[in-house]
Amino acid sequence: MPELKIELITVGDEILIGHTLDSNSNWIAGRLSQHGLRLRWHSTVGDDASDLRHQIRRAWNRADIVILTGGLGPTHDDITRAVVARFFNDELVVRSDLAGMIAERFALRGMKPPPGCERLAEFPSRAEPILNAHGSAPGIHYQQDGKELFALPGVPVEMRGMVEDYVIPRITARRGETFRFRVFRTAGVGESNLSDLIGDPRRLEPVTLAFLPSIDHGVTIRISLTGSDEGDVEVELDRAAAIIRERVGEYVYTEDARTLEEVLLEQFRRRGWKLAVAESCTGGMICDRLVSIAGSSDVFERGFITYSNRAKVELLGVPADILEEHGAVSSETAAAMANGARERAGVDVALSVTGIAGPTGGTKDKPVGLVYAGFAGPSGTVAERYRFSGDRNTNRRRSAHAALNLLRRNL
């Protein structure tokens, strides 16, 4: 079956003037990709009816599926509902069932519908409503001439619920084929190195290989296949997965969607171990990544933010002569920070990081992007050197990920 052509239109002046980051398009593209679908086109249109009609017309002429996000609210600049209805030569009518559902949603919160909210019950007469489990504005679904249009709210949590529960099931049902994929999340290795290690991707055919790099999660290797027979698809994926494991298995920390910190917390939990973290240049990023995981309190004991030399001495017991002789950014200091955190917190394992995030503070001997991470545990103490290149925040994020990977490799 030919590939479905999908186009996304995001609507809103707030995106075009830079007031709001368009996270919806990124999320939709990712979710479609996980189901073997991809966007062919994506555009953003402001709150102008003429511009939006033009963009819908262009998308409808070339795509099989058109998805819109934004402009379904109750205010005067929410124009999507009326423009879509006009495009299909339809009219807006007040739907009593939608009005009742909207009123009930507000009543459950002990509120009356605000002024103008009745507009949400004005709905295209020939369209199918997409129920909103997380808000008030229903989505819109048109089917015509073998094509489909989905208009969804711009509020991320509302849009995501509709995509998961309504849009993707209907799009995948059109395909009539089996799609499967596997992922391998890696750390401590770059995209080009992974490509070299895996070798000629034709060895994996008919399986498709993709590299998905991320500052916070490393490079994800994704293999996928679409076919008419589910059994054959799984066999081919098993064969390709075995090649991936053989070539780059030492860098793989999970074969699912878990983050590195989730994997680490589970390993600590199985051993009954406790963890402490001492951070300098990252300023709490590692702690934040750990405590963002529900249940981390049974593993993560405490964190030390020791940005100054004084803090390193007073809170971690780093010897002053180490700082004087080697400096705050050194393997010796990273090791002493990890040892101090482990001793002061009374835990099984401690992790540390110290470096120069930039853009200032670097020297010829210790340039911006120089980072050291330390590990202290039952097996001993180690420290590693890293050199990153990026802006301040990027260097900090890469430092946090590198430190967590050092922890993984030394458990």
Side-chain angles (χ1 to χ4, degrees):
M1 180 177 179
E3 179 186 15
L4 287 173
K5 298 176 182 178
I6 306 175
E7 181 155 358
L8 172 65
I9 303 172
T10 50
V11 183
D13 286 342
E14 67 276 10
I15 297 173
L16 291 177
I17 65 175
H19 179 74
T20 300
L21 179 66
D22 178 19
S23 61
N24 284 351
S25 60
N26 176 270
W27 187 87
I28 291 172
R31 292 302 293 150
L32 291 174
S33 177
Q34 290 184 5
H35 291 272
L37 304 162
R38 71 181 181 97
L39 289 177
R40 290 287 295 272
W41 305 277
H42 169 225
S43 60
T44 300
V45 181
D47 299 316
D48 182 274
S50 177
D51 290 347
L52 181 54
R53 277 197 304 273
H54 170 77
Q55 203 63 25
I56 293 174
R57 184 179 302 108
R58 186 169 75 160
W60 190 255
N61 287 338
R62 65 187 181 185
D64 303 302
I65 306 290
V66 178
I67 302 173
L68 290 87
T69 65
L72 292 183
T75 60
H76 72 280
D77 57 346
D78 290 310
I79 61 172
T80 300
R81 188 182 300 102
V83 171
V84 167
R86 182 175 175 183
F87 176 79
F88 286 101
N89 294 316
D90 201 356
E91 61 179 350
L92 296 177
V93 297
V94 176
R95 291 271 301 254
S96 58
D97 56 339
L98 295 179
M101 292 173 62
I102 294 167
E104 182 180 358
R105 177 167 294 277
F106 280 97
L108 290 173
R109 297 160 56 190
M111 301 170 58
K112 293 183 178 180
C117 201
E118 63 275 1
R119 288 189 61 203
L120 298 178
E122 295 178 357
F123 198 82
S125 67
R126 301 200 313 272
E128 181 73 20
I130 305 174
L131 300 185
N132 190 339
H134 303 281
S136 301
I140 300 169
H141 180 202
Y142 273 102
Q143 299 183 73
Q144 184 173 300
D145 303 325
K147 302 184 176 189
E148 298 184 67
L149 180 143
F150 303 90
L152 313 173
V155 179
V157 67
E158 300 179 25
M159 175 276 296
R160 293 180 181 187
M162 293 185 186
V163 169
E164 296 281 18
D165 299 336
Y166 191 96
V167 178
I168 285 180
R170 277 157 179 77
I171 296 177
T172 54
R174 289 176 57 122
R175 188 169 49 196
E177 292 182 304
T178 295
F179 170 79
R180 296 288 184 272
F181 72 95
R182 311 273 178 86
V183 295
F184 302 82
R185 282 193 156 183
T186 70
V189 61
E191 182 179 354
S192 59
N193 289 334
L194 283 172
S195 180
D196 289 342
L197 288 169
I198 293 173
D200 191 343
R202 288 178 295 185
R203 297 179 65 236
L204 304 178
E205 291 180 350
V207 172
T208 299
L209 171 68
F211 298 99
L212 311 172
S214 165
I215 293 175
D216 299 309
H217 303 297
V219 180
T220 296
I221 301 170
R222 183 175 185 266
I223 55 175
S224 59
L225 182 63
T226 299
S228 57
D229 185 275
E230 182 176 351
D232 292 343
V233 169
E234 293 290 351
V235 168
E236 289 291 349
L237 284 176
D238 286 341
R239 179 186 64 82
I243 295 174
I244 300 294
R245 294 189 194 101
E246 177 188 356
R247 297 298 183 92
V248 300
E250 66 180 293
Y251 299 105
V252 175
Y253 62 85
T254 185
E255 294 186 17
D256 51 41
R258 289 176 299 165
T259 61
L260 179 54
E261 49 269 31
E262 286 178 293
V263 172
L264 289 169
L265 288 171
E266 288 179 16
Q267 291 183 10
F268 270 80
R269 200 170 285 119
R270 286 198 300 268
R271 301 178 188 207
W273 283 4
K274 295 286 187 177
L275 172 68
V277 177
E279 300 185 63
S280 183
C281 64
T282 48
M285 280 187 169
I286 298 174
C287 295
D288 180 68
R289 286 180 60 162
L290 292 169
V291 301
S292 68
I293 307 302
S296 58
S297 59
D298 59 1
V299 169
F300 182 53
E301 160 64 27
R302 72 184 70 175
F304 302 86
I305 310 301
T306 55
Y307 205 64
S308 68
N309 285 357
R310 177 184 171 187
K312 294 176 177 65
V313 173
E314 292 182 355
L315 298 179
L316 300 174
V318 174
D321 58 346
I322 286 182
L323 291 166
E324 184 176 346
E325 181 178 355
H326 301 285
V329 181
S330 64
S331 60
E332 291 81 2
T333 296
M337 289 172 64
N339 282 327
R342 185 180 184 222
E343 179 182 344
R344 298 291 173 93
V347 295
D348 304 280
V349 173
L351 183 65
S352 69
V353 62
T354 179
I356 306 170
T360 60
T363 65
K364 181 179 179 180
D365 294 330
K366 295 186 177 182
V368 169
L370 177 65
V371 175
Y372 291 89
F375 167 94
S379 60
T381 303
V382 297
E384 284 195 356
R385 179 184 188 275
Y386 308 91
R387 177 69 192 281
F388 302 117
S389 60
D391 60 29
R392 181 178 179 83
N393 197 50
T394 298
N395 286 338
R396 294 173 63 226
R397 291 165 63 189
R398 286 176 173 159
S399 299
H401 191 69
L404 288 170
N405 189 47
L406 175 68
L407 179 59
R408 175 188 73 88
R409 290 174 23 241
N410 283 278
L411 281 180

